[in-house]
Amino acid sequence: MPDTPRHSVSVAGAVINDDGLVLAIRRADNGHWEPPGGVLELGETIEAGLVREIQEETGLTVKPERLTGVYKNMQRGIVALVFRCTATDGSAKRTDEAREIAWLSPTEITERMEPAYAIRLLDALDDLGPAVRAHDGHQLC
């Protein structure tokens, strides 16, 4: 079925510290503030990909706690799974993939991030169950 649309699956982590601040990265490739994460590799589980991506981008080892949202970029066909996580080892640091690292309050998340990415972290701070949302890469649909 060559005309079947293809989607990619990405994962991201809402790593929350003891002060209630959430880890964010300023990506080296586009300069945008986002939750740490990336595209799953074909042969890895969702949890393994999440842990790998966060470690590559921040230096932290995390434990996924729960799914907090599913987000689809309608323009690019990317489905993102976002998990609330706890850091278990390491310390957050800049990497080749992250120009900056910061622990942000909800207000700072809203100020620094595009709405399509800020909502992922804000949803993770709520205990309402997983959110399901669509966006165009910048704004929610």
Side-chain angles (χ1 to χ4, degrees):
M1 295 169 40
D3 293 335
T4 302
R6 302 280 183 214
H7 289 80
S8 73
V9 179
S10 69
V11 289
V15 184
I16 302 170
N17 70 15
D18 292 338
D19 296 324
L21 301 176
V22 185
L23 184 66
I25 65 166
R26 187 167 181 207
R27 295 179 55 90
D29 58 356
N30 64 19
H32 296 161
W33 284 95
E34 297 181 9
V39 177
L40 285 176
E41 294 178 2
L42 190 59
E44 71 186 342
T45 67
I46 293 167
E47 292 86 356
L50 176 67
V51 171
R52 175 186 55 77
E53 284 288 346
I54 293 172
Q55 200 284 323
E56 287 176 0
E57 292 185 353
T58 70
L60 287 176
T61 301
V62 299
K63 177 183 174 194
E65 294 177 358
R66 64 180 173 88
L67 178 69
T68 58
V70 179
Y71 307 85
K72 182 174 180 186
N73 182 323
M74 300 300 289
Q75 302 294 319
R76 298 183 61 205
I78 300 169
V79 176
L81 308 172
V82 180
F83 291 81
R84 187 174 176 140
C85 300
T86 302
T88 59
D89 191 37
S91 59
K93 61 184 179 198
R94 287 180 19 179
T95 65
D96 291 341
E97 297 182 42
R99 179 186 310 174
E100 291 180 64
I101 300 277
W103 293 95
L104 304 177
S105 69
T107 300
E108 292 169 319
I109 290 167
T110 302
E111 290 170 351
R112 292 189 192 192
M113 292 184 179
E114 294 280 346
Y117 293 94
I119 196 67
R120 298 174 189 198
L121 296 180
L122 298 174
D123 284 343
L125 291 170
D126 288 333
D127 287 326
L128 302 176
V132 178
R133 301 181 189 273
H135 63 90
D136 66 4
H138 303 283
Q139 300 293 324
L140 297 171
C141 296

